[in-house]
Amino acid sequence: MIIQKTENSKLPTFDPNNFSFGDTFIDHMIICEYENGKWGDVKLVPYGPLPFTPAMMGVNYGQACFEGMKAYKDENDDIFLFRPEKNFERINKSAKRLAIPEIPREAFIDGLNALVDIDREWIPKGEGMSLYIRPVVFATEEVLKARVSNKYMFAIVATPAKSYYSAPVSVKISDYYSRSANGGVGFAKAAGNYAASFYPTQLAIDEGYDQVIWTDDATHEYFEESGTMNVFVRINDTIYTPKTSEKILDGVTRDSFLQLAERNGIDVVVGDVKVADVVAALKDGSLKEAWGVGTAVVTTRFEAIGYGDEKFALPTLADEDSFAFILKKALVDIQTNHAEDPFGWRVKVDKKY
């Protein structure tokens, strides 16, 4: 790995008590370029712009996918990643579907560790604080031809993060738009998946909602995801969540919630979640709570769910009665080294550089 440290750190200007998520970037980034049928050297370089043109194939034909993950700092200033192998596996699953060459372990895992190690002082410490990490790969060949690119860049950038969607949100069940279809790329973290979701989400916002619950493209009778999150509903004392498929992202947080629910003795049903069943449970009061899970948010509880012209308020549960809260706390305690990790999910980043 080639290491080129910045001579002008921005860290002295960073206020961990006053920053916005997503637009404050740490001093360095990882880059690795693919050309002539192979990946080149992995480089850690100062964060900054790169020389591309509007004719870059990733911009024109959408060959781009990414991951989202976090690093955490505990009270002893030790740094931990959370299940990085899952993200490594998934970015290559996404890349394969988009005809992008497989990302080497040296670039993803070794690059990730080097970046977090060298910029460890950027990781804010405290409740809800973390470093949000974005590995991304995109086509860079400069040619306007609708085909597989011959050049790519893999990069890792990162931004300090604090609590996201701290307040409950209201969501609208989609009865027309879908985020994915059979045979498509719904299971991949393809950049285009997110672009296609923005317009329907804006329509929901215009109606007074915060997000969309996506339903299947064929009938709109089944839940799939909520916004950019996997979705869970609790009817009485059982949790229901859609099974993963070629249309639904296999979320790392989702998988962690399922294992934690089992460990906590909470009944979970993974399978088809019917819109009609959820609406009936909303009407008869048996739907106790619903929430989304994902890396950025961890958990976002829903305060209301809309369907058609109706909007249903959900019960307001005390934290100790909320499965969403119980599972989130169990997960965050593992991530931040406040609890034992019986699953082996937490990976310490050693000081090396």
Side-chain angles (χ1 to χ4, degrees):
M1 185 180 303
I2 298 171
I3 304 290
Q4 181 188 345
K5 293 186 180 181
T6 183
E7 296 180 357
N8 299 294
S9 173
K10 304 186 297 286
L11 189 58
T13 66
F14 172 60
D15 182 356
N17 299 309
N18 184 25
F19 69 93
S20 58
F21 170 76
D23 59 9
T24 301
F25 293 95
I26 64 176
D27 282 332
H28 299 95
M29 62 184 178
I30 294 291
I31 59 173
C32 183
E33 295 184 84
Y34 181 94
E35 189 173 1
N36 298 322
K38 62 181 181 179
W39 288 99
D41 293 328
V42 182
K43 302 175 183 179
L44 184 144
V45 299
Y47 175 82
L50 296 165
F52 298 119
T53 80
M56 182 175 73
M57 290 185 73
V59 172
N60 289 276
Y61 303 112
Q63 262 189 298
C65 60
F66 61 88
E67 277 298 315
M69 52 198 308
K70 286 183 177 180
Y72 302 86
K73 180 180 288 183
D74 71 7
E75 55 196 19
N76 298 316
D77 290 338
D78 288 327
I79 307 299
F80 298 91
L81 297 170
F82 183 72
R83 306 187 74 179
E85 290 288 343
K86 291 283 286 184
N87 297 98
F88 177 54
E89 293 170 5
R90 192 171 62 182
I91 197 170
N92 279 324
K93 185 178 179 181
S94 298
K96 181 178 180 180
R97 179 60 181 84
L98 296 172
I100 296 172
E102 182 175 336
I103 313 301
R105 172 173 286 274
E106 179 188 8
F108 192 99
I109 297 295
D110 296 350
L112 178 65
N113 277 276
L115 181 65
V116 173
D117 178 16
I118 287 174
D119 278 347
R120 61 176 55 232
E121 296 303 319
W122 277 93
I123 305 176
K125 183 166 62 174
E127 185 177 354
M129 299 294 201
S130 62
L131 182 72
Y132 183 82
I133 305 165
R134 171 56 56 86
V136 59
V137 59
F138 48 93
T140 58
E141 187 177 356
E142 186 182 9
V143 60
L144 297 181
K145 293 181 179 180
R147 58 160 170 79
V148 172
S149 177
N150 292 311
K151 297 181 181 179
Y152 300 88
M153 174 169 282
F154 171 71
I156 307 177
V157 298
T159 175
K162 50 190 172 182
S163 293
Y164 190 77
Y165 283 154
S166 56
V169 300
S170 59
V171 293
K172 178 73 180 288
I173 299 173
S174 176
D175 56 8
Y176 178 74
Y177 292 102
S178 298
R179 67 171 293 277
S180 61
N182 287 319
V185 294
F187 69 89
K189 285 188 74 70
N193 287 350
Y194 296 80
S197 74
F198 295 153
Y199 175 68
T201 301
Q202 187 58 54
L203 294 179
I205 291 171
D206 291 344
E207 290 187 53
Y209 295 92
D210 300 292
Q211 262 298 352
V212 172
I213 291 182
W214 303 106
T215 52
D216 69 287
D217 64 297
T219 66
H220 297 288
E221 294 178 358
Y222 300 96
F223 274 29
E224 291 194 337
E225 293 188 10
S226 177
T228 59
M229 304 173 285
N230 293 115
V231 63
F232 289 75
V233 298
R234 172 186 171 188
I235 298 176
N236 294 318
D237 286 332
T238 299
I239 292 173
Y240 297 84
T241 192
K243 62 181 181 294
T244 56
S245 67
E246 62 183 359
K247 297 191 293 179
I248 297 177
L249 188 72
D250 187 6
V252 177
T253 307
R254 171 190 178 276
D255 180 73
S256 303
F257 259 58
L258 293 177
Q259 294 190 53
L260 286 165
E262 181 180 1
R263 185 174 176 82
N264 281 271
I266 298 173
D267 291 334
V268 179
V269 176
V270 178
D272 292 335
V273 178
K274 293 184 177 181
V275 172
D277 291 344
V278 173
V279 172
L282 283 164
K283 290 180 176 180
D284 67 23
S286 59
L287 196 144
K288 303 302 182 185
E289 56 183 328
W291 65 94
V293 302
T295 297
V297 300
V298 184
T299 304
T300 297
R301 287 191 267 185
F302 303 156
E303 63 180 0
I305 296 177
Y307 183 61
D309 295 328
E310 297 183 276
K311 188 173 185 178
F312 305 92
L314 273 68
T316 301
L317 301 181
D319 288 344
E320 61 269 20
D321 297 323
S322 166
F323 288 174
F325 178 84
I326 291 168
L327 295 175
K328 176 183 178 180
K329 185 177 187 308
L331 179 61
V332 171
D333 283 349
I334 290 174
Q335 291 172 329
T336 56
N337 199 26
H338 284 108
E340 291 184 9
D341 177 12
F343 306 98
W345 290 340
R346 194 169 55 227
V347 178
K348 186 177 180 180
V349 178
D350 294 323
K351 291 184 177 180
K352 181 178 178 181
Y353 294 99

